[in-house]
Amino acid sequence: MGSKIAELLNKTATKIILAIVLGFIAGALALAVAGYDPGTSYSMMFTSIFSSPQNMIQVLILTMPNILTGLSVAFAFKTGLFNIGGEGQYIVGAIAAVMVGGVLNLPPVINVIVIVLVAFVAAGLYGALAGFLKAKFGIHEVITTIMLNWIALYLNNYLVSLPGIGVKNTEYSFPIKQSAWTNVLNGWKTSPHGQAYLSTHPALSTILLGTDINYGIIIAIVVAIAVSFLLYRTTFGYQIRAVGLNKDAAEAAGIRVKKSIVMTMFIAGGLSGLAGALQMTGTLPHALVTLANQPGYGFNGITVALMANSSPIGCIFTALLLSALQFGGSTIQMNLGAPSEVVNIMIGVIVFFVAVASMFTMISERIKRRRVKIAG
Amino acid sequence: MQSQQAYAVEMQSIYKYFDDFCALNAVNLKVKKGSIHALLGENGAGKTTLMNVLYGLYKADSGRILINGEQVEMKNPNVAIEHKIGMVHQHFKLVENFTVVQNIMLGKEVSKAGFVLDISRARKQVVELSKTYGLTVDPDAKIEDISVGMQQRVEILKALYRGVEILILDEPTAVLTPQEINELVNIMRNLTEGGKTIIIITHKLKEIKKSSEYCTIIRRGKYIDTVDVKNVTEQQLASMMVGREVNLVVAKTKTNPGDVVFRIDNLTVEDSRKIERVKELSLSVRKGEIVGIAGIDGNGQKELVEAITCLTKVKAGRISINGVDLQNTSPHNVIKNGITTIHEDRHKRGLVLDFPVKYNLILENYNRPRFAGHAILHEQAIHKFAQDSISRYDIRPENCASELARALSGGNQQKVIIARELSDNPELLLAFQPTRGLDVGAIEFIHSALIKHRDSGHSILLISFELDEIMNVSDRICVLYDGRIVAEFQQGEVDENGIGLLMAGGERKNGI
Ligand SMILES: Nc1ncnc2c1ncn2[C@@H]1O[C@H](COP(=O)(O)OP(=O)(O)OP(=O)(O)O)[C@@H](O)[C@H]1O
Ligand SMILES: [Mg+2]
């Protein structure tokens, strides 16, 4: 049975890889049309990431929120819900983290755990609100989550403008206490002993002091595995997948469909909120900032989930791909003047071909048929 | 060469594999021009697959297809349509909010001046066609407003409108009332008189006897025989198809029912358009008793079932089991109180088609300690339970536990539902069209399962449009007409004709 599942996974994975290859081809065409050499551009994107450890770490830092918002979208998808509210849930998670993290003073590890849990619950409730409106009144979640995104953004800006919260004459709020930061070797690198050590080890120093290197990505990967477990191994996952695949049959079987919808949106919201919280604890300025625009991670999550065909484990890889492409795209723009929109084209093509992956099945059927004919 | 000319369709040594599974294994089919040819086989025998091959929906892995003596490569349905083959699928493919004429011309629109739809011309053609073959329909009615039987006529008209000469009907009668079936048989006769050839898939032996000249039998993907229908009995057809003797009527002993377990008092239910469909209906089911509700589709059966299962709100009245009121609670509560349900529409209410079979088998019980502990599914226990159900209920193919329910044939999907609903020994089984689309072997099996359930001291409320089924299985028979129970009989007090009359709204009389 295990081999069968492996075979299946394999097939989906192959399809996605094929889609990615097609995306790269489309990107190359676009670059060529725009008058840039695709070879040079791609190699620059690639080498820019691997040219320095800082850049690699930068990509990983970008990847963390993308994994979590991707999981948020993918999870909601399983119940047949389209969670466009990642942006707002991310902001609510960040707000909760800063509000709690700015005042709380617990022992280091417990401190972080409490902050993250509070943020998860706050953003979860924010997501659950959309779920509730859907379950109770049938208002479509796409509409409510988009509106909630804007409400969260203005709430954020309002809070930053408040005297007790915002720092006077800046666009920042007060920061999270340093004891709650999730940066690697957070305490040690600022201690006198650590500083002395780092001054003689420049390579390590550029990583630890020159970047926001933090544990977020590890947490995100663990969460992805946990979400996968929740979906495929638990009764709760069974229940929400049943609702997503056939609401009427689930209802007839006594599954509480409305409750499932609210619970799913709670978890989906919590996952996006977690991204916001870990971003606050892990990267500078460790504080809320006045936002002119949505932070973008929630929308990235949609792309990540679509590319991964809503597989939680898949989200880890597609988030990494997306982050690398976005990072690489900005470097070709900077260095070659090539349009970074090429990256958007590539991503669009990948999403498109994942969506029409059944096409690959058809091709494989045809090949199989030909083989049978020759054999017969 | 000459003798070949007489065949409208010849399929020679057709093979079709789904992965490793051989669905068609050297199947032959020869259909004489101008005849009605039945295709008979158990659930999952490969009938639909064979017809899908003929219609170009599936491509055979090997074998030849000849249409009117000429070899054709059926690459896709367009090729089939070019060769004047039409297919009416078991699940209709009509646009609900289009009119009959609009549906019929869809995909083959006629236009004026190149781009303006010429509906009136199409309408005229449709009216003509329906007159010629006795296919009466209202050309301007919307699909959502007409009965299933009418919808089927639209599908047939649609094929005729495309100039079809060879018509495939996949289980056309599974959804029809007895009257509609008779009308369909007449229509088929008219069509063959007009020179058309018809291939019909059906599980109802009576209909084969009534309508068809030839019958080809396939069993588990293999060709068994083609017979002249005149020369065989229903019993012979049944045993050829199953490969053993079949009891068309399941033997059962008389029961001594106990106390009333389940009762409905003065129930009134409205449909979504606020029209009363169930009107002050009362009935009761006793312990160890099968109560059958006979009636023509559309007399309130659907609303009655939805009310009992709490899928819809009740306007007035009581529904109770062992004295506990159930009306307007939740489906969960109904199940908890010992009522499980076989729903009429298996794709909508019965199955999660994209779940594996084993998950479908635990849809109501996934939370039980048997299958889950600490909120974690016990995959092994689930798999074992599924294996068990699959062999106990003869669900085919036998290694389907991890396959998606979607991949099963219609009849086997139904067996999955029945296995699930009986797995928990419900106090009351509500069975709504439990054998719809099943072959006679499977029906025999299901009927004896129902009777066994009764004999173990449980109760069954059977709602069926098949009068035969009601007559064969029930201990007590209620006739439902226009949302009311118009008559009630003990088994043996009445014959089919008497009930048939009441079902059609005949004089109300009381048998007791
Ligand atoms: N798309 C598919 N993928 C895999 N297996 C399939 C597929 N379609 C059909 N099968 C299998 O092929 C066999 C024949 O199916 P088919 O639908 O032709 O049966 P049938 O004779 O029409 O049965 P029924 O009377 O129940 O409708 C079944 O065992 C079914 O599980
Ligand atoms: Mg079939």
Side-chain angles (χ1 to χ4, degrees), chain B residues 44 47-49 90 170-171 201 203 409-411:
Chain B
K47 304 175 298 290
T48 300
T49 306
Q90 192 178 346
D170 191 352
E171 294 195 33
I201 300 178
H203 290 295
S409 79

Side-chain angles (χ1 to χ4, degrees), chain A residues 133-152:
Chain A
L133 291 171
K134 164 95 173 192
K136 186 83 188 173
F137 304 109
I139 306 172
H140 202 283
E141 72 278 6
V142 166
I143 295 171
T144 48
T145 50
I146 287 178
M147 300 219 270
L148 288 169
N149 283 346
W150 291 104
I151 294 172

Side-chain angles (χ1 to χ4, degrees), chain B residues 395-425:
Chain B
I395 299 165
R396 296 180 205 172
E398 63 201 37
N399 57 349
C400 65
S402 302
E403 300 283 324
L404 296 186
R406 187 181 288 288
L408 293 190
S409 79
N412 283 298
Q413 290 176 343
Q414 187 70 9
K415 290 193 210 165
V416 170
I417 296 173
I418 290 164
R420 177 181 71 215
E421 301 309 336
L422 281 178
S423 70
D424 229 27
N425 270 322

Side-chain angles (χ1 to χ4, degrees), chain B residues 204-207 209 232-239 248:
Chain B
K204 297 181 186 167
L205 305 169
K206 241 188 225 168
E207 281 160 36
K209 285 294 285 180
V232 288
T233 62
E234 280 179 40
Q235 191 63 51
Q236 281 169 323
L237 280 174
S239 18
L248 294 178

